[in-house]
Structures are given as structure tokens and as C-alpha cells.
Amino acid sequence: MTTTVHEALASSPWADQPRPTTTAGWLDRAADVAGILATDAVERDRAQAVPTAEVQLLKDAGLVTLLGPVEHGGAGETWETAYRVIREIASGDGSIGQLIGYHYLWAWAVRLVGTPAQIAAVEELYTTNDFFFGGAVNPRDNDLSITEDGDELVYNGRKSFSTGSKVSDLTVLEGVLEGTEKHVFAIVPTQQDGIVFHDDWDNLGQRLTESGGVTITDVRIPWAAAAGYVDKEPIELTYGTLNLPTIQLVFANFYLGIAQGGLKAGTAYTRKNTRAWPYGGDDKQSASEEWYILEGYGRLQSQVWAAEALADAAGAEISGLLHAEREALTPEQRGHAAVRIAAVKQLTTDVALAVGTTIYELTGARATSSSVGLDIYWRNARTHTLHDPVAYKRREVGEYALLGRVPEPSWYT
């Protein structure tokens, strides 16, 4: 597609079309959105405007409610599909791939820790209203402080990161109840006086994710809305610990999407603009005949295909767990899924960074022009792959291979 985001919103390309009813249809819809995003991704990245239009595009395409219940207008799709949608969107724009991935995770948060009544209420709320989620849950910061005030809980504190911030309709908060070790998740409306975003996201890449800091001041929820609490006591399920491997695979899939987008952009540039090298003693007429260019793209494509296969296998595994009965999940099942995802995370990190740098060797010096914009792929991959040290993912896989150990649940595993 050659339609820009704003042109697509103006023309409403899906207004006269029914929403897809099959997995293949949803993947095609995601590919259409990715094509629109790719058209002006570099220009939008440089402008660094709040991605209100991009999120509206996701809403108009129906992708925001991909995991929502069918009875409330959602697609009722599985996480296996959601991971592939994240990857597809990221191939067009890495920032928007991250946004939709985090949205899916936070939309599912109530299923991870909530009561049946809370799950039903939140899923109806966000699906029927086409609401978009953000989250102020950064484990490296101090937890938000929660105090009791009668039948209400009151949240206060600051977080360094709140991905989705201004473009979200609902925000997930997490804090610790004063005087206890009880962590309490809550889903609250984003637009309220007690939530103030710092507008300080000015990073190397993933520039349209609205991931800056936030201050929470006297944000109140009723005790009944404390996710997963009954009579002020938490429900303890292994299922709730799937939060971390689930989002780690979200990361891996938008890394992979960034790699796919970079490879596509690099090959397109080479076919059109790269010149053969005339001083090698084996002169070629075109760059597409150069052995080192063919070898280079062959290596990158093979790495991307391998990462896709591993990501799909891990996605199928954890999707099966996420859609099964919550009480049935065992620590062993959770641990095996987590170590497979650790393997995907390290592989996609390596592949995304390799594509982002190697495409310059295969496109040539003129491709470094700012007008070409190939830098967006390395910048996006480099920025988010620092989220947590990939060395620890390699260690987790090494412990499994050598010692048969699976990762213990933590804020990052």
C-alpha cells in the first residue's frame, strides 16, 4: 500500500467491509495495516508526534479487540494469532508493534490475576468500547504506594515508564499495600487528574511508543476492583505468573517484525539503487549478481526464517496455556514455556540487531542518507532490546540445557 496513516483514516478503508471471521483474515488485515504504517514510518518517527492517529488506525482495523470476547464484538482470537499480528504490525512500524503488543498483554492482565466477575466486567468494558490499554508497571522503579481509605484503595507514586500513556483509554497500575507485601493490580481510566504524564520520552528508537514517565496522585479504586482479591485476600494461582513469559514473547515478536521490515527495506533498496562493485576482478553488471550481496541476504533471510519458526513454536505453546483452565497450569508447564521463550528472545535480539547493521553493508554508502531512513530499524531494535539484559536469557537457556533447570517466576522471567 502507498496510503499514509492519515490518508487511511480519512478514507476509512474498512468502513464498508465486515470484520474478518478467520485467523487468516485477521492476519491479512494486520498486513494491510502494516503496509499503511510502512509508507511514512520514517517521517512519523522523526516528527515524534503523539501516535493518536496510529492507534485509531488499529481500532478502525478491529485489531484492538482481537483477543476480546465474541459476544461483546471482539474477534475471540488466540494468543498464537496475536503474536503473529504483533510481528506483522512491527514490520511496518516497530513503535506501533510495541504498542499493540503491550495493549494485548494489559488487556489480558485481568485474566491472569482477576476474579471471574472482574474478568467479565473488564473484557466487556474494553471490547464494547474499543478501549486501548497502557500500563504503569515498571519493576525497576519503586512500587506505587497503596493506602486504604475505608472501602477504597489509594495509589500514589512515580514510574519511569508508562508505554501507551497518552494514547491509552485504560491504564494498568500496580503497587504494594502499605504495611504489607501485597501487590495489587488495578485497571483505571487514563484520563483523570491523578494521572499526569511527564512527556519525557525522547529516546534513540521506538520513538512513537509514548513510553515516558508518569506521576500517580491519589488515584482511587474500590477494594472490589483490586484484581484477584476476594475479601481483601489474593487468589494464588501459578497462572498469574504467565504475565512475564507472555510479555517477553511480545518483545521477541516485535523484534522479529522489525527485522522483517528491515530486510524488506534493504532488499528493495538494493534491487533499485545499489550498484555493483567494479574493482573486484569479477565484475558484475548489477548488484543483484554480486556474490557477497547474495550471500549476505541469504544469511539474513535464513536467520529470520529460523527465528520465525522458533517464535511460532513458542507462541503455540504458551497460547495453549493461556487459553486453558487457569487452575490446571503446573509450574513445570510454565517453566518449560518460559525457557523456550528465553531462547526466542535471545535469537530475535541477535537477528534484529544483525539486520539493522548488515543491511548497510549490502545496500552501500548512499543508503546512509537520512532520506533513505534505514537507520530506523537498528535504532528501534537497539532501544528496546536493552529492556532487560539478553545475557540472562542466554543463561536461562544454558541452565536448562546443562542442568535441566527451568526459570523461576520473577518480574523478568
Side-chain angles (χ1 to χ4, degrees):
M1 288 191 175
T2 57
T3 304
T4 68
V5 171
H6 290 282
E7 288 170 347
L9 290 177
S11 62
S12 301
W14 303 289
D16 298 325
Q17 297 181 26
R19 289 193 170 181
T21 57
T22 65
T23 296
W26 283 111
L27 294 175
D28 287 343
R29 178 64 59 86
D32 289 343
V33 174
I36 293 168
L37 291 168
T39 301
D40 59 350
V42 173
E43 291 80 4
R44 290 183 293 100
D45 170 86
R46 289 182 179 149
Q48 204 172 350
V50 177
T52 304
E54 290 86 339
V55 170
Q56 189 60 52
L57 184 71
L58 297 174
K59 291 182 176 184
D60 289 355
L63 295 175
V64 167
T65 54
L66 184 79
L67 294 172
V70 173
E71 59 266 31
H72 299 309
E77 278 288 345
T78 66
W79 266 97
E80 188 172 5
T81 303
Y83 283 127
R84 294 178 65 187
V85 166
I86 293 164
R87 189 191 312 168
E88 188 69 57
I89 296 300
S91 73
D93 186 325
S95 289
I96 311 308
Q98 179 180 337
L99 282 176
I100 192 68
Y102 276 51
H103 162 77
Y104 289 148
L105 185 281
W106 294 128
W108 199 263
V110 68
R111 285 209 186 191
L112 289 165
V113 297
T115 66
Q118 289 168 339
I119 293 169
V122 170
E123 292 196 333
E124 180 178 3
L125 173 69
Y126 101 81
T127 306
T128 56
N129 290 286
D130 226 14
F131 279 164
F132 197 80
F133 278 82
V137 182
N138 174 26
R140 295 297 301 276
D141 289 336
N142 291 330
D143 290 293
L144 297 178
S145 172
I146 306 174
T147 55
E148 282 191 272
D149 184 10
D151 291 330
E152 291 186 318
L153 296 177
V154 186
Y155 285 74
N156 283 278
R158 294 169 62 92
K159 286 291 185 179
S160 300
F161 302 103
S162 182
T163 294
S165 62
K166 282 187 172 181
V167 293
S168 65
D169 303 294
L170 299 171
T171 295
V172 177
L173 302 179
E174 181 275 335
V176 173
L177 185 61
E178 191 175 71
T180 75
E181 296 183 357
K182 294 178 178 178
H183 290 262
V184 186
F185 284 86
I187 296 168
V188 301
T190 300
Q191 300 304 317
Q192 57 177 295
D193 292 341
I195 298 180
V196 177
F197 298 111
H198 300 168
D199 295 327
D200 55 357
W201 181 247
D202 186 22
N203 284 46
L204 180 73
Q206 297 298 87
R207 300 181 71 192
L208 299 188
T209 60
E210 285 296 306
S211 291
V214 62
T215 296
I216 307 298
T217 306
D218 294 335
V219 172
R220 292 173 174 267
I221 67 163
W223 247 115
Y229 277 75
V230 176
D231 297 327
K232 301 185 179 182
E233 292 298 325
I235 301 170
E236 301 287 354
L237 291 175
T238 299
Y239 186 90
T241 68
L242 286 177
N243 182 31
L244 279 304
T246 301
I247 198 168
Q248 287 284 323
L249 194 54
V250 167
F251 299 165
N253 273 282
F254 68 76
Y255 299 168
L256 182 51
I258 291 168
Q260 291 173 327
L263 186 57
K264 183 177 180 180
T267 54
Y269 183 93
T270 294
R271 283 191 294 268
K272 184 178 180 180
N273 298 301
T274 303
R275 296 176 293 179
W277 185 249
Y279 304 110
D282 183 25
D283 299 350
K284 305 297 183 184
Q285 294 298 309
S286 71
S288 62
E289 297 176 299
E290 281 280 15
W291 69 269
Y292 79 91
I293 291 178
L294 294 171
E295 185 272 343
Y297 280 127
R299 180 158 37 89
L300 292 179
Q301 182 66 80
S302 298
Q303 291 171 342
V304 167
W305 280 339
E308 289 172 358
L310 189 57
D312 286 344
E317 180 176 355
I318 197 168
S319 183
L321 302 179
L322 287 165
H323 293 279
E325 290 294 326
R326 296 195 302 175
E327 293 77 11
L329 181 69
T330 67
E332 292 75 21
Q333 289 174 312
R334 191 264 185 205
H336 185 267
V339 78
R340 289 285 292 277
I341 289 168
V344 182
K345 173 83 175 298
Q346 61 169 307
L347 180 58
T348 55
T349 294
D350 293 344
V351 170
L353 293 173
V355 169
T357 56
T358 306
I359 54 175
Y360 281 105
E361 300 171 21
L362 306 176
T363 52
R366 292 185 300 170
T368 62
S369 170
S370 294
S371 64
V372 177
L374 291 181
D375 59 296
I376 193 173
Y377 303 103
W378 181 84
R379 288 191 293 104
N380 283 345
R382 181 67 286 175
T383 297
H384 200 281
T385 53
L386 298 173
H387 177 279
D388 53 286
V390 71
Y392 281 89
K393 296 303 169 199
R394 302 192 204 282
R395 188 184 74 173
E396 289 165 19
V397 177
E399 287 182 336
Y400 179 79
L402 185 63
L403 305 171
R405 294 178 186 163
V406 295
E408 292 291 328
S410 79
W411 281 112
Y412 285 92
T413 56

